[in-house]
């Protein structure tokens, strides 16, 4: 009995700790419980055998054990270690063939218990997610209804103290089977279990009933797991493993499709169709910021970087006119990656050029026209060309150019190049400028 009291105190202490933990999980600003990761409610329905040991009238006997008891548990787990249970029980007691006295009596029980999830406390989840063990203990009230009144009473009301162990086997996220072995002591029992005589004058814990049950558990809630089977450590390990797998998949991917996996790629934004080195960097032997595979095509149609730099550095009276002519002739352009409104790295110089011109010519206005290649839906490409123009405008406004000086146009698809050529398509994914 001392051991049972010790376990009970541990369970009650656990409940107090669980309550404190739940309070700590409350939102400090709104005092609302945070969203839980598991279900809390369950119903346990079991039946099995019983063994009332004392008190009995001399000469009255029952089958050992007797298959005539059932119970219903309504359980709420505060967290995945501790919870509460309302246990409702019924035992039918009758004489066996060897009894000198015939009798029938009915026993009813209602008990509030604390529940400790020993599987989580002792780390079952580290080696299994299919077997578990609960400990439960608590106090309640019981009634023994006799076949005939004893001393004018046909029902003996008493207090009960219950403790037990419940092994569980998980069937699914919603169902489990269990076994249970519970010892139930009683205080103030005045009538014997057989209902034939008064109990002795010792009305302390002189009454004992042992129940052994098997049954099923149903879990309520829309979460994947119930608190019985949830483990923070295991879920963290699964989360870490999932993150490692995601990282591995990302590392082995090739976002810019240059033939170099992401984990080796030092430039994951290279343009489609250009040659790269073993580190995924576009080959640029003269280090002018333009991939070599695109430079020849750019030189054939647009002004070189040297021409633009010379015009920008020209201090003569014709410098402004020269720069305006370069801009309006389509020599200054901002280029974009495929299906993107993000300017390519080598286009940042062109943006700086047009910003510098607008700053030095405060009366000038500019029209920004965006374009897309022919791949994809025409309406989508028109919207994409507009987004590209807006992106360049936003950069210019952020640099101090008044937005009222800038006009946007959506040029849509540029069909002036060979659609089957990747390098040619790169040249038309752009924003052009016209200044007055």
């Amino acid at each position: 009995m001392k051991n049972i009291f010790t376990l009970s105190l541990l369970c009650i202490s656990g409940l107090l700790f669980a309550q404190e933990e739940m309070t700590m999980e409350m939102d400090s600003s709104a005092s609302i419980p945070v969203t839980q990761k598991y279900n809390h409610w369950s119903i346990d329905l079991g039946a099995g055998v019983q063994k009332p040991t004392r008190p009995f009238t001399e000469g009255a006997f029952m089958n050992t054990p007797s298959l005539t008891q059932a119970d219903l548990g309504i359980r709420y787990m505060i967290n995945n270690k501790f919870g509460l249970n309302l246990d409702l029980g019924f035992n039918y007691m009758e004489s066996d063939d060897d009894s000198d006295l015939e009798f029938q009596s009915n026993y009813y029980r209602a008990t509030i218990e604390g529940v400790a999830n020993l599987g989580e406390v002792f780390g079952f989840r580290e080696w299994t997610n299919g077997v578990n063990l609960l400990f439960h203990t608590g106090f309640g009230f019981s009634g023994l209804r006799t076949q005939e009144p004893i001393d004018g009473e046909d029902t003996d009301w008493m207090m009960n103290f219950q403790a037990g162990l419940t092994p569980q086997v998980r069937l699914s996220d919603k169902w489990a089977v269990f076994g249970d072995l519970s010892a139930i002591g009683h205080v103030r029992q005045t009538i014997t279990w057989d209902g034939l005589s008064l109990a002795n004058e010792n009305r302390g814990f002189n009454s004992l009933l042992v129940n052994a049950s098997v049954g099923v558990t149903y879990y309520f809630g829309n979460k994947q797991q119930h608190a019985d089977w949830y483990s923070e450590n295991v879920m963290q390990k699964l989360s870490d493993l999932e993150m490692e797998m995601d990282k591995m998949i990302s590392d082995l991917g090739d976002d810019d499709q240059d033939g170099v996996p992401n984990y080796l790629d030092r430039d994951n934004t290279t343009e489609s169709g250009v040659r790269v080195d073993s580190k995924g960097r576009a080959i640029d032997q003269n280090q002018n910021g333009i991939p070599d595979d695109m430079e020849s095509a750019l030189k054939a149609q647009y002004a070189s970087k040297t021409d633009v730099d010379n015009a920008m550095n020209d201090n003569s009276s014709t410098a402004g006119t020269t720069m305006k002519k370069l801009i309006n002739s389509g020599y200054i352009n901002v280029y974009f990656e495929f299906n993107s409104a993000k300017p390519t790295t080598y286009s940042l110089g062109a943006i700086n050029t047009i910003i510098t011109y607008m700053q030095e010519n405060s009366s000038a206005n500019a029209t920004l026209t965006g374009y897309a290649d022919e791949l994809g839906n025409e309406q989508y490409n028109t919207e994409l060309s507009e987004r590209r123009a807006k992106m360049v405008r936003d950069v210019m406004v952020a640099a101090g150019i008044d937005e009222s000086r800038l006009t946007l146009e959506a040029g849509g698809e540029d069909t002036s190049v060979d659609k089957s050529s990747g390098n040619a398509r790169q040249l038309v994914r752009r924003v052009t400028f016209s200044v007055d």
Side-chain angles (χ1 to χ4, degrees):
M1 189 64 69
K2 291 182 179 179
N3 291 334
I4 293 178
F5 272 116
T6 301
L7 287 173
S8 301
L9 290 174
L10 289 174
C11 192
I12 293 171
S13 299
L15 286 173
L16 294 176
F17 171 78
Q19 183 64 38
E20 180 181 354
E21 182 178 339
M22 183 174 67
T23 302
M24 292 175 63
E25 289 181 353
M26 302 285 279
D27 187 292
S28 58
S29 61
S31 296
I32 300 174
V34 297
T35 302
Q36 293 291 345
K37 302 175 183 178
Y38 45 79
N39 297 319
H40 297 266
W41 288 98
S42 65
I43 284 185
D44 307 307
L45 181 61
V49 297
Q50 60 174 325
K51 174 58 179 176
T53 61
R54 60 183 184 272
F56 270 96
T57 302
E58 186 176 353
F61 301 100
M62 286 181 58
N63 288 326
T64 304
S66 176
L67 186 65
T68 48
Q69 67 88 12
D71 61 3
L72 171 68
I74 302 173
R75 185 157 53 90
Y76 177 82
M77 296 300 291
I78 297 173
N79 55 37
N80 62 334
K81 293 185 177 71
F82 301 101
L84 296 170
N85 182 52
L86 171 61
D87 182 57
L88 304 175
F90 170 76
N91 292 56
Y92 173 69
M93 303 177 183
E94 67 175 344
S95 55
D96 63 16
D97 295 338
D98 297 328
S99 177
D100 296 334
L101 303 173
E102 293 187 2
F103 62 87
Q104 291 181 347
S105 58
N106 296 322
Y107 169 81
Y108 306 91
R109 180 184 71 256
T111 309
I112 296 294
E113 299 180 290
V115 180
N117 185 353
L118 300 185
E120 176 62 20
V121 173
F122 294 117
F124 281 29
R125 301 291 81 77
E126 297 293 332
W127 55 274
T128 179
N129 200 35
V131 177
N132 198 38
L133 180 64
L134 304 178
F135 170 73
H136 57 92
T137 183
F139 298 87
F141 290 93
S142 300
L144 178 67
R145 189 173 182 85
T146 63
Q147 190 174 12
E148 298 292 339
I150 301 295
D151 199 19
E153 299 290 339
D154 62 357
T155 302
D156 186 14
W157 297 106
M158 64 197 93
M159 292 184 62
N160 69 63
F161 173 81
Q162 175 171 305
L165 288 172
T166 307
Q168 297 173 295
V169 176
R170 182 182 182 183
L171 300 180
S172 68
D173 292 335
K174 290 295 185 181
W175 293 94
V177 295
F178 68 85
D180 180 81
L181 180 64
S182 295
I184 309 167
H186 300 84
V187 178
R188 301 184 63 84
Q189 183 170 351
T190 59
I191 300 177
T192 57
W193 292 119
D194 48 73
L196 299 177
S197 63
L198 295 176
N200 60 35
E201 295 181 357
N202 184 357
R203 301 176 68 187
F205 282 103
N206 192 40
S207 169
L208 183 64
L209 170 64
V210 178
N211 284 341
S213 308
V214 293
V216 294
T217 298
Y218 178 76
Y219 298 116
F220 294 90
N222 55 11
K223 304 299 182 183
Q224 181 176 355
Q225 289 184 310
H226 185 268
D228 286 355
W229 308 98
Y230 181 86
S231 173
E232 192 69 41
N233 292 336
V234 172
M235 295 306 295
Q236 184 60 49
K237 289 180 180 179
L238 290 175
S239 177
D240 292 343
L241 180 60
E242 184 177 355
M243 291 178 62
E244 290 180 8
M245 292 295 296
D246 290 343
K247 184 178 184 301
M248 183 182 299
I249 293 173
S250 176
D251 288 345
L252 294 176
D254 182 13
D255 292 344
D256 56 2
Q257 299 183 350
D258 59 1
V260 179
N262 293 338
Y263 77 99
L264 294 176
D265 206 331
R266 296 295 178 267
D267 180 4
N268 212 18
T269 61
T270 52
E271 290 72 24
S272 176
V274 302
R275 290 175 295 169
V276 297
D277 60 18
S278 61
K279 299 298 184 181
R281 298 168 295 203
I283 297 176
D284 180 17
Q285 294 182 349
N286 58 7
Q287 298 183 352
N288 64 350
I290 301 174
D292 292 347
D293 288 336
M294 298 185 64
E295 190 167 359
S296 59
L298 289 170
K299 285 181 178 180
Q301 186 170 356
Y302 303 112
S304 68
K305 185 175 182 295
T306 302
D307 294 335
V308 175
D309 290 342
N310 290 338
M312 290 294 297
N313 296 326
D314 191 349
N315 295 322
S316 67
S317 59
T318 61
T321 302
T322 302
M323 179 53 64
K324 180 178 181 180
K325 182 177 180 180
L326 286 171
I327 294 172
N328 290 339
S329 297
Y331 293 132
I332 309 298
N333 298 280
V334 178
Y335 296 95
F336 295 83
E337 299 175 359
F338 175 73
N339 194 30
S340 173
K342 176 184 176 181
T344 58
T345 303
Y346 61 81
S347 289
L348 299 180
I351 297 178
N352 185 61
T353 297
I354 191 67
I355 289 174
T356 301
Y357 177 83
M358 297 294 287
Q359 290 172 338
E360 293 178 351
N361 298 271
S362 58
S363 62
N365 297 314
T367 299
L368 287 63
T369 305
Y371 292 96
D373 61 29
E374 295 181 76
L375 297 183
N377 180 272
E378 182 176 355
Q379 179 180 351
Y380 175 80
N381 287 334
T382 299
E383 295 172 354
L384 177 60
S385 68
E386 183 178 11
R387 294 204 310 272
R388 287 170 173 168
K390 287 180 179 179
M391 170 61 75
V392 176
R393 182 207 48 198
D394 292 344
V395 173
M396 295 177 67
V397 170
I401 306 301
D402 194 316
E403 186 174 351
S404 63
R405 299 172 61 194
L406 306 175
T407 302
L408 300 183
E409 289 185 357
E413 296 180 352
D414 186 333
T415 60
S416 63
V417 300
D418 183 4
K419 180 179 179 180
S420 63
S421 171
N423 288 338
R425 292 196 307 273
Q426 174 61 46
L427 297 178
V428 297
R429 298 196 290 266
R430 71 195 192 284
V431 169
T432 64
F433 303 92
S434 175
V435 296
D436 56 25

